[in-house]
């Protein structure tokens, strides 16, 4: 456990010791802030009973942040270690492959969670100035952040897998971005196919991440979505572990 905590702290610190981490946080903070400025201007003209979390989700900025930020976070996880020559030194330390993979994933996830904290701040600001308890529904806010974390687990684990496959951070980022874009398009197609009520549409509905996240934003937690995201995360972490272990076969 001590080795895992040390590796996680090392991984998390690496984001705050480089310019990349601050650029990511600054860009995400700007996009979240700009989104809420646009929402507040719209609400002055057309009031709505929708919770703030759902209003934020239905904008295009949510998926833009998710699809672009996760590759930037994970591209250096393994690729930079291999490029700089510190990967073999790390793997010869008294730690297991499993500890390395889980620690790097945990460090990336912790930074990912910190990255989304401005969203909570914006919601609290809206709650303060509107003086409307409905603007800060604890259940909706909690389920929204649960959905953000679960989606982050999926995309971060896939990004770690992509980073473990190559020595180039750019290639790792492109692979991760391609996966995210493909999954987003599949979710969109699943939403369209589910509308006709066909059997294939019902099967594809399990992969409709956009609809599942919309439920989270409205305060609805579907256990099917939770199981899908958790199992997919474990699958990509398993692949990452096997890729890391494959160095012994060479």
């Amino acid at each position: 456990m001590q080795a895992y905590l040390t590796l996680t702290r090392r991984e998390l610190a690496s984001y705050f010791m480089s310019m990349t981490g601050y650029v990511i946080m600054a860009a995400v903070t700007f996009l979240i802030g700009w989104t809420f400025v646009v929402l507040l201007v719209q609400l002055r003209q057309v009031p709505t009973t929708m919770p703030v979390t759902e209003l934020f989700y239905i904008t295009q900025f949510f998926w833009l942040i998710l699809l672009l930020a996760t590759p930037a976070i994970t591209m250096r996880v393994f690729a930079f270690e291999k490029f700089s020559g510190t990967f073999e030194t790390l793997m010869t330390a008294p730690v297991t492959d499993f500890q390395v993979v889980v620690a790097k994933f945990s460090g990336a996830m912790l930074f990912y969670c910190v990255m989304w904290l401005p969203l909570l701040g914006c919601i609290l600001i809206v709650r303060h100035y509107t003086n409307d308890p409905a603007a800060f529904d604890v259940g909706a806010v909690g389920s929204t952040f649960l959905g953000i974390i679960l989606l982050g687990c999926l995309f971060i684990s896939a990004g770690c897998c992509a980073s473990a496959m190559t020595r180039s951070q750019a290639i790792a980022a492109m692979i991760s971005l391609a996966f995210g874009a493909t999954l987003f398009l599949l979710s969109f197609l699943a939403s369209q196919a589910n509308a006709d009520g066909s059997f294939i549409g019902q099967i594809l509905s399990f992969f409709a991440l956009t609809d599942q996240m919309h439920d989270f934003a409205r305060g609805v937690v579907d256990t099917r979505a939770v199981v899908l995201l958790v199992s997919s995360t474990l699958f990509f972490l398993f692949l990452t572990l096997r890729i890391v272990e494959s160095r012994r076969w060479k």
Side-chain angles (χ1 to χ4, degrees), residues 11 40 54 117 124:
E11 187 65 26
L40 290 177
E54 185 176 358
L117 286 180
L124 290 174

Side-chain angles (χ1 to χ4, degrees), residues 35-52 55-56 126 130 135:
T35 303
F36 271 82
V37 169
V38 174
L39 289 178
L40 290 177
V41 172
Q42 293 177 351
L43 289 176
R44 290 180 59 185
Q45 302 173 354
V46 182
T48 179
T49 58
M50 296 172 61
V52 177
L55 289 174
F56 172 74
V126 173
T130 58

Side-chain angles (χ1 to χ4, degrees), residues 75-86 163 167 169:
M75 66 180 183
R76 60 171 304 281
V77 173
F78 288 99
F80 181 75
E81 296 270 10
K82 294 180 179 180
F83 175 78
S84 61
T86 60
S163 183
R167 296 169 55 92
Q169 296 184 63

Side-chain angles (χ1 to χ4, degrees), residues 146-163:
L146 175 62
I148 289 174
I149 292 174
L150 290 176
L151 276 177
C153 288
L154 171 59
F155 282 88
I156 293 293
S157 62
C160 289
C161 183
S163 183

Side-chain angles (χ1 to χ4, degrees), residues 62-236:
F62 173 81
W63 287 100
L64 180 65
I65 294 173
L66 186 66
L67 294 177
L68 296 183
T70 48
I73 293 174
T74 59
M75 66 180 183
R76 60 171 304 281
V77 173
F78 288 99
F80 181 75
E81 296 270 10
K82 294 180 179 180
F83 175 78
S84 61
T86 60
F87 181 71
E88 292 301 329
T89 303
L90 173 64
M91 301 311 295
T92 54
V95 293
T96 63
D97 296 343
F98 177 78
Q99 288 175 329
V100 172
V101 171
V102 176
K104 286 186 172 294
F105 170 76
S106 300
M109 274 303 304
L110 287 173
F111 179 81
Y112 172 84
C113 293
V114 172
M115 180 190 76
W116 280 103
L117 286 180
L119 175 60
L120 180 60
C122 289
I123 295 175
L124 290 174
I125 291 174
V126 173
R127 169 66 178 87
H128 174 75
Y129 284 101
T130 58
N131 197 26
D132 182 8
F136 187 78
D137 181 72
V138 178
V141 173
S143 63
T144 298
F145 276 93
L146 175 62
I148 289 174
I149 292 174
L150 290 176
L151 276 177
C153 288
L154 171 59
F155 282 88
I156 293 293
S157 62
C160 289
C161 183
S163 183
M165 295 169 57
T166 178
R167 296 169 55 92
S168 172
Q169 296 184 63
I171 295 177
M174 287 189 292
I175 295 175
S176 180
L177 180 61
F179 168 79
T182 301
L183 197 59
F184 176 75
L185 292 177
L186 179 62
S187 301
F188 179 76
L189 293 176
S191 301
Q192 298 297 319
N194 190 38
D196 59 14
S198 62
F199 176 74
I200 297 179
Q202 294 177 0
I203 297 297
L204 289 176
S205 65
F206 291 104
F207 302 95
L209 298 183
T210 52
D211 293 341
Q212 295 169 5
M213 186 59 211
H214 197 183
D215 290 337
F216 282 117
R218 292 183 296 177
V220 179
V221 178
D222 192 339
T223 54
R224 294 175 298 179
V226 175
V227 171
L228 172 66
L229 294 172
V230 171
S231 59
S232 299
T233 299
L234 295 176
F235 172 73
F236 280 109

